[in-house]
């Protein structure tokens, strides 16, 4: 039986095989995407000609340590493929992302990509989204007002994400409210509704964005499926 980290490594390495010479590649954030970056680094050092758009400062740092050429999203006319992790994946390929706090940049890079390949271990598969608290990125100004608004609208609790007893500040200077929906019956509607609340920058629902999932299992098997 493989450990969780071995499964992440396996799916990361399998996804790296999808990357062809000349491609512009969006590279995800998190402990699964870590293995993708390591595998791409190995290929780049062996001569693979690619350029990558990182989805966070953390990934940018890791990728440059691996000598992977990076470009800014502004300088990428099109991204051929983005490969990233997820916190929950439902049967329609809808996702919750942002457990690592990079949801805004991840969503922008994914939106600019021809394909979004999601790599994960089987524990991320769910029947319905919502047990994983949905990250909602908000501007720091008046964040408590936004929190009250969301909590009242949906009768839920939310928690301001912190680091070292201080509000966690995202790469783009925002805060994150982790919203405990438990069950999200209509993810597309919630995605739109949350983003219309003044002060909300974006949320971790990725709807109709993933084009393929690569899921690893403890027995070493890997299932690659297209998303309709
Ligand atoms: O959305 C993310 C970061 O913002 C990650 O992709 C997500 O949290 C999954 O991370 P991991 O692969 O470590 O489980």
């Amino acid at each position: 039986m493989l450990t969780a980290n071995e499964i992440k490594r396996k799916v990361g390495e399998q996804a790296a095989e999808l990357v062809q010479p000349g491609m512009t590649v969006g590279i995800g954030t998190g402990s699964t995407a870590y293995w993708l970056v390591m595998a791409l680094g190995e290929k780049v050092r062996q001569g693979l000609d690619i350029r990558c758009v990182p989805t966070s400062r953390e990934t940018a740092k890791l990728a440059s340590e691996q000598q992977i050429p990076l470009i800014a999203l502004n300088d990428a006319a099109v991204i051929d493929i983005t490969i990233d992790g997820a916190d929950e994946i439902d049967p329609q390929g809808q996702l919750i992302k942002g457990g690592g706090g990079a949801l805004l940049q991840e969503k922008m890079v994914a939106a600019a990509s021809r394909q979004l390949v999601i790599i994960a271990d089987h524990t991320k598969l769910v029947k319905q989204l919502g047990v994983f608290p949905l990250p909602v990125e908000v501007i720091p100004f008046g964040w408590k007002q936004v929190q009250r608004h969301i909590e009242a609208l949906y009768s839920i609790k939310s928690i301001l994400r912190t680091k070292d007893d201080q509000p966690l500040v995202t790469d783009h200077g925002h805060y994150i409210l982790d919203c405990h929906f438990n069950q999200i019956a209509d993810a597309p509607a919630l995605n739109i509704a949350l983003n219309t609340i003044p002060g909300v920058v974006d949320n971790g629902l990725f709807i109709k964005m993933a084009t393929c999932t690569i899921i690893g299992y403890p027995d070493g098997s890997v299932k690659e499926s297209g998303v309709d």
Side-chain angles (χ1 to χ4, degrees), residues 24-26 52-55 70-79 82 104-113 172:
T24 300
V25 183
C52 292
V53 181
T55 53
L70 296 179
I71 60 168
L73 180 56
N74 274 340
D75 297 328
V78 71
I79 299 175
T82 288
L104 176 59
Q105 201 167 322
E106 289 173 334
K107 215 184 220 184
M108 290 183 73
V109 171
S113 304
H172 300 281

Side-chain angles (χ1 to χ4, degrees), residues 8 28-34 55-56 58 84-88 96-104 106 118-121 123-124 132 135 161 176 204 206:
K8 291 175 188 192
T29 298
S31 57
T32 316
Y34 168 89
T55 53
S56 62
E58 176 192 317
D84 201 350
D87 300 300
E88 282 188 348
I96 288 184
K97 285 184 51 53
L103 61 129
L104 176 59
E106 289 173 334
I118 295 299
I119 49 175
D121 64 83
T123 63
K124 305 294 182 67
F132 189 91
R161 199 178 296 184
I176 291 179
F206 282 49

Side-chain angles (χ1 to χ4, degrees), residues 50 91 188 191 213:
I50 53 170
N191 178 39
T213 57

Side-chain angles (χ1 to χ4, degrees), residues 61-224:
K61 180 171 179 290
L62 183 66
S64 11
E65 285 163 5
Q66 294 301 309
Q67 297 155 37
I68 295 174
L70 296 179
I71 60 168
L73 180 56
N74 274 340
D75 297 328
V78 71
I79 299 175
D80 297 290
I81 186 171
T82 288
I83 303 167
D84 201 350
D87 300 300
E88 282 188 348
I89 307 164
D90 80 2
Q92 289 78 46
Q94 303 180 130
L95 316 169
I96 288 184
K97 285 184 51 53
L103 61 129
L104 176 59
Q105 201 167 322
E106 289 173 334
K107 215 184 220 184
M108 290 183 73
V109 171
S113 304
R114 288 200 172 114
Q115 305 173 62
L116 173 61
V117 176
I118 295 299
I119 49 175
D121 64 83
H122 69 295
T123 63
K124 305 294 182 67
L125 296 175
V126 296
K127 287 207 173 76
Q128 187 179 49
L129 299 177
V131 169
F132 189 91
L134 177 67
V136 177
E137 189 157 340
V138 298
I139 62 164
F141 171 77
W143 69 269
K144 285 189 183 171
Q145 192 63 34
V146 179
Q147 182 179 44
R148 284 193 284 268
H149 190 144
I150 294 173
E151 291 190 348
L153 202 53
Y154 297 104
S155 304
I156 58 150
K157 283 283 157 217
S158 69
I159 294 171
L160 179 72
R161 199 178 296 184
T162 56
K163 189 180 176 189
D164 302 329
D165 290 333
Q166 294 298 316
L168 177 126
V169 178
T170 69
D171 284 358
H172 300 281
H174 305 132
Y175 291 173
I176 291 179
L177 294 172
D178 287 309
C179 296
H180 292 253
F181 282 93
N182 289 319
Q183 292 182 337
I184 297 176
D186 187 345
L190 180 61
N191 178 39
I192 292 167
L194 283 171
N195 286 5
T196 62
I197 296 173
V200 169
V201 181
D202 211 333
N203 72 83
L205 287 168
F206 282 49
I207 309 298
K208 288 197 178 298
M209 296 189 98
T211 53
C212 171
T213 57
I214 300 180
I215 307 297
Y217 294 83
D219 65 2
S221 60
V222 173
K223 194 170 162 213
E224 194 168 322

